[in-house]
Amino acid sequence: TQLLEQSPQFLSIQEGENLTVYCNSSSVFSSLQWYRQEPGEGPVLLVTVVTGGEVKKLKRLTFQFGDARKDSSLHITAAQPGDTGLYLCAGGGYSWGKLQFGAGTQVVVTP
Amino acid sequence: EAGVAQSPRYKIIEKRQSVAFWCNPISGHATLYWYQQILGQGPKLLIQFQNNGVVDDSQLPKDRFSAERLKGVDSTLKIQPAKLEDSAVYLCASSLDGGRTEAFFGQGTRLTVV
């Protein structure tokens, strides 16, 4: 059972379109991290959000952490084929900070 | 800065055989994780070390899986005996200080049990 629920599971869009991926949980996290994973590689960190209500922008990517620190969203503007990949959210616990992942959203951007 | 190193990259074994994976984390990283990623799923935490002590191994199938991190640096993960359902990518990651800091991942070891 995944502690973090990601939706949708799969998203296929055309280049130039916008998309949003969601990450929800019933648990409170000290931090929420977003990773992108390409085939045959390990996940690579995109951003870490730690404050409830926090919004971070990374070029065309916008990340938001919910006020209650239980959910997050990733929005991509004007998607490009290079954005194709598996997007994973991961929640960091308190104390020693166990890091647990959602099942991921597979994003495919076609030219 | 060198990344997380894992070996081997690929391994094919028959069921009931044993296998071991090796991980060298980033220098100075106190926390080391082993994750299992089954095709189409997110990584599942198997075990987390803080230096050479185990912080969490609640999802490690201890009847067949074992892991150690001697001297708080390198780590090995062993499966004995392997089952078909153990086919997955085994990812090692390290971070400075648990889930509050970025985890850096190795490329993983793809295990196929036939």
Side-chain angles (χ1 to χ4, degrees):
Chain A
T1 304
Q2 300 281 163
L3 204 60
L4 291 151
E5 298 290 336
Q6 287 191 241
S7 61
Q9 289 184 317
F10 182 81
L11 199 53
S12 180
I13 60 171
Q14 299 273 42
E15 183 176 2
E17 294 181 338
N18 302 332
L19 68 98
T20 302
V21 175
Y22 300 93
C23 175
N24 295 293
S25 175
S26 58
S27 301
V28 176
F29 294 103
S30 64
S31 69
L32 203 297
Q33 302 175 15
W34 283 94
Y35 292 78
R36 182 170 68 210
Q37 184 177 25
E38 298 187 14
E41 302 293 331
V44 175
L45 182 74
L46 297 173
V47 77
T48 300
V49 285
V50 297
T51 305
E54 182 177 4
V55 177
K56 277 193 176 179
K57 293 191 175 183
L58 185 68
K59 296 183 180 178
R60 294 176 295 100
L61 278 61
T62 301
F63 305 85
Q64 185 162 6
F65 200 12
D67 291 340
R69 303 163 73 135
K70 294 182 179 180
D71 55 87
S72 181
S73 64
L74 157 61
H75 181 79
I76 301 178
T77 303
Q80 299 176 359
D83 296 325
T84 294
L86 179 67
Y87 288 82
L88 296 158
C89 67
Y94 292 93
S95 68
W96 291 118
K98 185 165 62 176
L99 192 64
Q100 299 198 88
F101 284 80
T105 294
Q106 181 63 52
V107 172
V108 176
V109 183
T110 53
Chain B
E1 178 182 86
V4 176
Q6 287 189 250
S7 67
R9 283 297 311 274
Y10 305 94
K11 191 76 177 178
I12 301 175
I13 62 171
E14 295 182 350
K15 60 183 179 183
R16 290 187 289 275
Q17 285 187 323
S18 62
V19 64
F21 312 126
W22 174 81
C23 172
N24 188 319
I26 293 174
S27 177
H29 280 194
T31 305
L32 185 147
Y33 308 87
W34 282 103
Y35 288 89
Q36 178 193 60
Q37 187 173 25
I38 293 173
L39 187 64
Q41 299 182 18
K44 169 189 166 185
L45 180 65
L46 293 177
I47 189 167
Q48 178 180 344
F49 292 95
Q50 186 75 12
N51 297 309
N52 60 347
V54 175
V55 171
D56 188 290
D57 63 357
S58 57
Q59 298 190 89
L60 186 74
K62 298 180 185 63
D63 58 333
R64 298 184 301 105
F65 286 64
S66 65
E68 61 181 8
R69 189 184 184 195
L70 299 176
K71 301 180 182 178
V73 183
D74 292 7
S75 177
T76 55
L77 176 69
K78 296 179 182 177
I79 307 175
Q80 183 180 11
K83 292 185 176 181
L84 296 176
E85 58 260 37
D86 297 332
S87 293
V89 175
Y90 290 85
L91 294 164
C92 177
S94 70
S95 70
L96 278 171
D97 179 24
R100 286 186 285 267
T101 54
E102 177 181 1
F104 293 85
F105 283 81
Q107 289 183 299
T109 296
R110 180 176 296 278
L111 173 68
T112 302
V113 182
V114 298

Short mmCIF file of all heavy atoms in Angstrom, two decimals, chain A residues 52-102:
data_model
loop_
_atom_site.label_atom_id
_atom_site.label_comp_id
_atom_site.label_asym_id
_atom_site.label_seq_id
_atom_site.Cartn_x
_atom_site.Cartn_y
_atom_site.Cartn_z
N GLY A 52 4.38 24.57 4.48
CA GLY A 52 3.00 24.49 4.02
C GLY A 52 2.62 25.71 3.20
O GLY A 52 2.90 26.83 3.61
N GLY A 53 2.00 25.50 2.02
CA GLY A 53 1.63 26.60 1.15
C GLY A 53 2.73 27.08 0.23
O GLY A 53 2.51 27.97 -0.61
N GLU A 54 3.89 26.49 0.37
CA GLU A 54 5.05 26.93 -0.42
C GLU A 54 4.84 26.66 -1.91
O GLU A 54 4.32 25.62 -2.29
CB GLU A 54 6.30 26.21 0.07
CG GLU A 54 7.58 26.61 -0.63
CD GLU A 54 8.80 25.92 -0.04
OE1 GLU A 54 8.63 25.08 0.88
OE2 GLU A 54 9.92 26.21 -0.51
N VAL A 55 5.27 27.60 -2.73
CA VAL A 55 5.26 27.45 -4.18
C VAL A 55 6.68 27.68 -4.69
O VAL A 55 7.31 28.67 -4.34
CB VAL A 55 4.29 28.45 -4.86
CG1 VAL A 55 4.38 28.30 -6.39
CG2 VAL A 55 2.87 28.23 -4.40
N LYS A 56 7.17 26.73 -5.49
CA LYS A 56 8.50 26.90 -6.08
C LYS A 56 8.40 26.76 -7.58
O LYS A 56 7.66 25.91 -8.09
CB LYS A 56 9.47 25.84 -5.53
CG LYS A 56 10.09 26.19 -4.20
CD LYS A 56 11.24 25.26 -3.88
CE LYS A 56 11.93 25.68 -2.59
NZ LYS A 56 13.05 24.77 -2.23
N LYS A 57 9.17 27.59 -8.28
CA LYS A 57 9.19 27.54 -9.74
C LYS A 57 10.58 27.18 -10.23
O LYS A 57 11.59 27.72 -9.74
CB LYS A 57 8.73 28.87 -10.34
CG LYS A 57 7.27 29.17 -10.07
CD LYS A 57 6.77 30.35 -10.90
CE LYS A 57 5.27 30.53 -10.69
NZ LYS A 57 4.71 31.62 -11.53
N LEU A 58 10.62 26.28 -11.19
CA LEU A 58 11.87 25.85 -11.79
C LEU A 58 11.64 25.88 -13.29
O LEU A 58 11.14 24.94 -13.88
CB LEU A 58 12.22 24.43 -11.32
CG LEU A 58 13.55 23.85 -11.77
CD1 LEU A 58 14.70 24.60 -11.13
CD2 LEU A 58 13.63 22.37 -11.40
N LYS A 59 11.98 27.03 -13.90
CA LYS A 59 11.74 27.26 -15.34
C LYS A 59 10.26 27.03 -15.64
O LYS A 59 9.40 27.78 -15.18
CB LYS A 59 12.64 26.36 -16.18
CG LYS A 59 14.12 26.68 -15.99
CD LYS A 59 15.00 25.83 -16.88
CE LYS A 59 16.46 26.17 -16.66
NZ LYS A 59 17.38 25.34 -17.49
N ARG A 60 9.90 26.02 -16.39
CA ARG A 60 8.51 25.79 -16.76
C ARG A 60 7.76 24.91 -15.76
O ARG A 60 6.59 24.59 -15.97
CB ARG A 60 8.46 25.14 -18.15
CG ARG A 60 8.97 26.04 -19.28
CD ARG A 60 9.00 25.29 -20.61
NE ARG A 60 9.96 24.20 -20.60
CZ ARG A 60 9.63 22.92 -20.41
NH1 ARG A 60 8.37 22.58 -20.26
NH2 ARG A 60 10.57 22.00 -20.41
N LEU A 61 8.42 24.52 -14.69
CA LEU A 61 7.80 23.65 -13.69
C LEU A 61 7.44 24.46 -12.45
O LEU A 61 8.24 25.25 -11.96
CB LEU A 61 8.77 22.54 -13.29
CG LEU A 61 8.87 21.30 -14.19
CD1 LEU A 61 9.33 21.65 -15.59
CD2 LEU A 61 9.79 20.26 -13.57
N THR A 62 6.21 24.26 -11.95
CA THR A 62 5.75 24.93 -10.74
C THR A 62 5.31 23.86 -9.75
O THR A 62 4.50 22.99 -10.08
CB THR A 62 4.58 25.88 -11.02
OG1 THR A 62 5.00 26.86 -11.97
CG2 THR A 62 4.14 26.58 -9.73
N PHE A 63 5.86 23.93 -8.54
CA PHE A 63 5.56 22.96 -7.49
C PHE A 63 4.85 23.67 -6.35
O PHE A 63 5.21 24.77 -5.97
CB PHE A 63 6.85 22.33 -6.96
CG PHE A 63 7.70 21.71 -8.01
CD1 PHE A 63 8.61 22.49 -8.73
CD2 PHE A 63 7.61 20.36 -8.30
CE1 PHE A 63 9.40 21.93 -9.71
CE2 PHE A 63 8.41 19.80 -9.27
CZ PHE A 63 9.30 20.57 -9.98
N GLN A 64 3.84 22.99 -5.80
CA GLN A 64 3.12 23.58 -4.67
C GLN A 64 2.98 22.54 -3.56
O GLN A 64 2.69 21.36 -3.83
CB GLN A 64 1.74 24.06 -5.12
CG GLN A 64 0.97 24.79 -4.04
CD GLN A 64 -0.17 25.63 -4.60
OE1 GLN A 64 -0.46 25.58 -5.80
NE2 GLN A 64 -0.79 26.41 -3.76
N PHE A 65 3.19 22.95 -2.34
CA PHE A 65 3.00 22.11 -1.16
C PHE A 65 1.73 22.57 -0.48
O PHE A 65 1.54 23.77 -0.25
CB PHE A 65 4.20 22.29 -0.22
CG PHE A 65 4.41 21.18 0.77
CD1 PHE A 65 3.74 19.97 0.69
CD2 PHE A 65 5.33 21.34 1.81
CE1 PHE A 65 3.97 18.96 1.60
CE2 PHE A 65 5.56 20.32 2.72
CZ PHE A 65 4.88 19.13 2.61
N GLY A 66 0.85 21.65 -0.14
CA GLY A 66 -0.41 22.02 0.48
C GLY A 66 -0.23 22.66 1.84
O GLY A 66 0.77 22.42 2.52
N ASP A 67 -1.20 23.47 2.24
CA ASP A 67 -1.12 24.17 3.53
C ASP A 67 -0.93 23.21 4.70
O ASP A 67 -0.23 23.52 5.66
CB ASP A 67 -2.40 25.01 3.77
CG ASP A 67 -2.50 26.18 2.81
OD1 ASP A 67 -1.45 26.58 2.24
OD2 ASP A 67 -3.62 26.70 2.61
N ALA A 68 -1.58 22.05 4.61
CA ALA A 68 -1.51 21.07 5.70
C ALA A 68 -0.32 20.12 5.56
O ALA A 68 -0.16 19.20 6.37
CB ALA A 68 -2.80 20.26 5.76
N ARG A 69 0.50 20.31 4.56
CA ARG A 69 1.70 19.49 4.31
C ARG A 69 1.35 18.02 4.09
O ARG A 69 2.09 17.12 4.49
CB ARG A 69 2.69 19.62 5.46
CG ARG A 69 3.10 21.06 5.70
CD ARG A 69 3.72 21.24 7.04
NE ARG A 69 5.05 20.67 7.09
CZ ARG A 69 6.09 21.27 7.63
NH1 ARG A 69 5.96 22.47 8.11
NH2 ARG A 69 7.26 20.68 7.67
N LYS A 70 0.20 17.80 3.44
CA LYS A 70 -0.19 16.42 3.13
C LYS A 70 -0.26 16.17 1.63
O LYS A 70 -0.38 15.02 1.21
CB LYS A 70 -1.57 16.13 3.72
CG LYS A 70 -1.65 16.14 5.23
CD LYS A 70 -3.06 15.78 5.68
CE LYS A 70 -3.17 15.76 7.18
NZ LYS A 70 -4.55 15.41 7.61
N ASP A 71 -0.21 17.22 0.82
CA ASP A 71 -0.38 17.02 -0.61
C ASP A 71 0.47 18.02 -1.37
O ASP A 71 0.93 19.04 -0.83
CB ASP A 71 -1.85 17.18 -1.00
CG ASP A 71 -2.43 18.51 -0.55
OD1 ASP A 71 -2.30 19.49 -1.29
OD2 ASP A 71 -2.98 18.55 0.57
N SER A 72 0.66 17.71 -2.64
CA SER A 72 1.49 18.57 -3.48
C SER A 72 1.06 18.41 -4.93
O SER A 72 0.39 17.44 -5.30
CB SER A 72 2.96 18.18 -3.33
OG SER A 72 3.79 19.01 -4.11
N SER A 73 1.43 19.40 -5.73
CA SER A 73 1.15 19.31 -7.16
C SER A 73 2.35 19.80 -7.95
O SER A 73 3.16 20.59 -7.47
CB SER A 73 -0.09 20.13 -7.53
OG SER A 73 0.13 21.50 -7.28
N LEU A 74 2.46 19.28 -9.16
CA LEU A 74 3.51 19.67 -10.10
C LEU A 74 2.82 20.09 -11.39
O LEU A 74 2.05 19.31 -11.96
CB LEU A 74 4.45 18.49 -10.35
CG LEU A 74 5.26 18.48 -11.65
CD1 LEU A 74 6.17 19.69 -11.72
CD2 LEU A 74 6.06 17.19 -11.77
N HIS A 75 3.06 21.31 -11.81
CA HIS A 75 2.46 21.82 -13.03
C HIS A 75 3.57 22.12 -14.04
O HIS A 75 4.56 22.78 -13.68
CB HIS A 75 1.67 23.10 -12.73
CG HIS A 75 0.99 23.69 -13.93
ND1 HIS A 75 -0.20 23.19 -14.44
CD2 HIS A 75 1.34 24.72 -14.74
CE1 HIS A 75 -0.55 23.89 -15.50
NE2 HIS A 75 0.36 24.82 -15.71
N ILE A 76 3.41 21.63 -15.25
CA ILE A 76 4.38 21.91 -16.32
C ILE A 76 3.69 22.76 -17.39
O ILE A 76 2.63 22.37 -17.92
CB ILE A 76 4.94 20.63 -16.94
CG1 ILE A 76 5.64 19.78 -15.87
CG2 ILE A 76 5.92 20.96 -18.06
CD1 ILE A 76 6.19 18.46 -16.38
N THR A 77 4.28 23.88 -17.71
CA THR A 77 3.75 24.77 -18.74
C THR A 77 4.48 24.53 -20.05
O THR A 77 5.69 24.37 -20.07
CB THR A 77 3.96 26.24 -18.31
OG1 THR A 77 3.33 26.44 -17.04
CG2 THR A 77 3.36 27.19 -19.33
N ALA A 78 3.70 24.49 -21.12
CA ALA A 78 4.29 24.32 -22.47
C ALA A 78 5.26 23.14 -22.50
O ALA A 78 6.46 23.30 -22.75
CB ALA A 78 4.98 25.60 -22.90
N ALA A 79 4.73 21.96 -22.25
CA ALA A 79 5.55 20.75 -22.14
C ALA A 79 6.36 20.50 -23.40
O ALA A 79 5.91 20.80 -24.53
CB ALA A 79 4.66 19.55 -21.82
N GLN A 80 7.54 19.94 -23.21
CA GLN A 80 8.43 19.59 -24.31
C GLN A 80 8.74 18.10 -24.27
O GLN A 80 8.62 17.47 -23.21
CB GLN A 80 9.72 20.40 -24.19
CG GLN A 80 9.51 21.89 -24.26
CD GLN A 80 10.78 22.69 -24.06
OE1 GLN A 80 11.86 22.14 -23.85
NE2 GLN A 80 10.66 24.01 -24.12
N PRO A 81 9.13 17.50 -25.39
CA PRO A 81 9.45 16.06 -25.38
C PRO A 81 10.48 15.68 -24.33
O PRO A 81 10.43 14.58 -23.79
CB PRO A 81 9.98 15.83 -26.81
CG PRO A 81 9.26 16.85 -27.63
CD PRO A 81 9.17 18.07 -26.75
N GLY A 82 11.37 16.59 -23.98
CA GLY A 82 12.37 16.32 -22.95
C GLY A 82 11.79 16.20 -21.56
O GLY A 82 12.47 15.77 -20.63
N ASP A 83 10.52 16.57 -21.39
CA ASP A 83 9.84 16.42 -20.09
C ASP A 83 9.31 15.01 -19.89
O ASP A 83 8.82 14.68 -18.81
CB ASP A 83 8.67 17.41 -19.98
CG ASP A 83 9.12 18.86 -20.00
OD1 ASP A 83 10.22 19.15 -19.46
OD2 ASP A 83 8.39 19.70 -20.56
N THR A 84 9.40 14.18 -20.90
CA THR A 84 8.93 12.80 -20.81
C THR A 84 9.69 12.07 -19.71
O THR A 84 10.91 12.17 -19.61
CB THR A 84 9.11 12.07 -22.15
OG1 THR A 84 8.24 12.67 -23.12
CG2 THR A 84 8.80 10.59 -22.03
N GLY A 85 8.94 11.33 -18.88
CA GLY A 85 9.59 10.57 -17.81
C GLY A 85 8.58 10.15 -16.77
O GLY A 85 7.39 10.48 -16.86
N LEU A 86 9.07 9.44 -15.76
CA LEU A 86 8.23 9.04 -14.63
C LEU A 86 8.43 10.06 -13.51
O LEU A 86 9.55 10.24 -13.02
CB LEU A 86 8.64 7.64 -14.15
CG LEU A 86 7.86 7.08 -12.95
CD1 LEU A 86 6.41 6.82 -13.33
CD2 LEU A 86 8.52 5.79 -12.44
N TYR A 87 7.37 10.73 -13.13
CA TYR A 87 7.44 11.75 -12.08
C TYR A 87 7.01 11.11 -10.75
O TYR A 87 5.90 10.58 -10.64
CB TYR A 87 6.58 12.96 -12.43
CG TYR A 87 7.19 13.77 -13.54
CD1 TYR A 87 7.03 13.39 -14.87
CD2 TYR A 87 7.97 14.89 -13.26
CE1 TYR A 87 7.62 14.11 -15.89
CE2 TYR A 87 8.57 15.61 -14.28
CZ TYR A 87 8.39 15.22 -15.60
OH TYR A 87 8.98 15.93 -16.60
N LEU A 88 7.89 11.21 -9.77
CA LEU A 88 7.67 10.58 -8.47
C LEU A 88 7.65 11.64 -7.39
O LEU A 88 8.50 12.51 -7.36
CB LEU A 88 8.78 9.59 -8.17
CG LEU A 88 8.92 8.38 -9.09
CD1 LEU A 88 10.32 7.80 -9.00
CD2 LEU A 88 7.90 7.32 -8.71
N CYS A 89 6.68 11.54 -6.47
CA CYS A 89 6.75 12.38 -5.29
C CYS A 89 7.20 11.50 -4.12
O CYS A 89 6.96 10.29 -4.12
CB CYS A 89 5.41 13.05 -4.99
SG CYS A 89 4.07 11.95 -4.50
N ALA A 90 7.87 12.10 -3.18
CA ALA A 90 8.38 11.37 -2.02
C ALA A 90 8.22 12.22 -0.78
O ALA A 90 8.56 13.40 -0.79
CB ALA A 90 9.85 11.00 -2.23
N GLY A 91 7.69 11.60 0.27
CA GLY A 91 7.48 12.32 1.51
C GLY A 91 8.56 12.01 2.52
O GLY A 91 8.90 10.83 2.73
N GLY A 92 9.11 13.05 3.14
CA GLY A 92 10.13 12.89 4.16
C GLY A 92 9.50 12.94 5.54
O GLY A 92 8.73 13.85 5.84
N GLY A 93 9.82 11.94 6.36
CA GLY A 93 9.25 11.90 7.70
C GLY A 93 10.05 12.74 8.67
O GLY A 93 11.09 13.29 8.35
N TYR A 94 9.54 12.85 9.88
CA TYR A 94 10.25 13.55 10.94
C TYR A 94 11.28 12.61 11.54
O TYR A 94 11.55 11.55 11.00
CB TYR A 94 9.25 14.04 11.99
CG TYR A 94 8.34 15.14 11.47
CD1 TYR A 94 7.11 14.84 10.92
CD2 TYR A 94 8.76 16.46 11.49
CE1 TYR A 94 6.29 15.83 10.42
CE2 TYR A 94 7.94 17.47 11.00
CZ TYR A 94 6.72 17.14 10.47
OH TYR A 94 5.92 18.13 9.97
N SER A 95 11.87 12.95 12.61
CA SER A 95 12.97 12.20 13.24
C SER A 95 14.06 11.95 12.21
O SER A 95 14.58 12.88 11.63
CB SER A 95 12.47 10.93 13.91
OG SER A 95 12.02 9.99 12.97
N TRP A 96 14.40 10.72 11.93
CA TRP A 96 15.48 10.44 11.00
C TRP A 96 15.05 10.61 9.56
O TRP A 96 15.85 10.46 8.65
CB TRP A 96 16.01 9.02 11.20
CG TRP A 96 16.74 8.86 12.49
CD1 TRP A 96 16.41 8.06 13.51
CD2 TRP A 96 17.93 9.55 12.89
NE1 TRP A 96 17.32 8.19 14.54
CE2 TRP A 96 18.25 9.10 14.18
CE3 TRP A 96 18.74 10.52 12.28
CZ2 TRP A 96 19.36 9.57 14.88
CZ3 TRP A 96 19.85 10.98 12.98
CH2 TRP A 96 20.14 10.50 14.25
N GLY A 97 13.77 10.91 9.34
CA GLY A 97 13.38 11.31 7.99
C GLY A 97 13.29 10.20 6.98
O GLY A 97 13.96 10.25 5.96
N LYS A 98 12.47 9.19 7.25
CA LYS A 98 12.25 8.13 6.27
C LYS A 98 11.65 8.73 5.01
O LYS A 98 10.73 9.54 5.08
CB LYS A 98 11.30 7.08 6.88
CG LYS A 98 11.09 5.88 6.00
CD LYS A 98 10.45 4.74 6.78
CE LYS A 98 9.08 5.06 7.32
NZ LYS A 98 8.49 3.88 7.99
N LEU A 99 12.14 8.34 3.86
CA LEU A 99 11.69 8.88 2.58
C LEU A 99 10.89 7.82 1.85
O LEU A 99 11.42 6.77 1.50
CB LEU A 99 12.91 9.31 1.74
CG LEU A 99 12.62 10.15 0.50
CD1 LEU A 99 12.02 11.48 0.88
CD2 LEU A 99 13.90 10.36 -0.29
N GLN A 100 9.59 8.09 1.65
CA GLN A 100 8.72 7.11 1.00
C GLN A 100 8.12 7.70 -0.26
O GLN A 100 7.72 8.86 -0.29
CB GLN A 100 7.63 6.67 1.97
CG GLN A 100 8.20 6.00 3.20
CD GLN A 100 7.18 5.18 3.95
OE1 GLN A 100 6.98 4.01 3.64
NE2 GLN A 100 6.54 5.80 4.90
N PHE A 101 8.02 6.87 -1.29
CA PHE A 101 7.62 7.30 -2.62
C PHE A 101 6.18 6.93 -2.97
O PHE A 101 5.64 5.93 -2.49
CB PHE A 101 8.53 6.69 -3.68
CG PHE A 101 9.88 7.33 -3.77
CD1 PHE A 101 10.87 7.02 -2.86
CD2 PHE A 101 10.15 8.26 -4.76
CE1 PHE A 101 12.12 7.62 -2.93
CE2 PHE A 101 11.39 8.87 -4.85
CZ PHE A 101 12.37 8.54 -3.93
N GLY A 102 5.58 7.75 -3.85
CA GLY A 102 4.34 7.37 -4.50
C GLY A 102 4.63 6.44 -5.67
O GLY A 102 5.80 6.17 -5.98
#
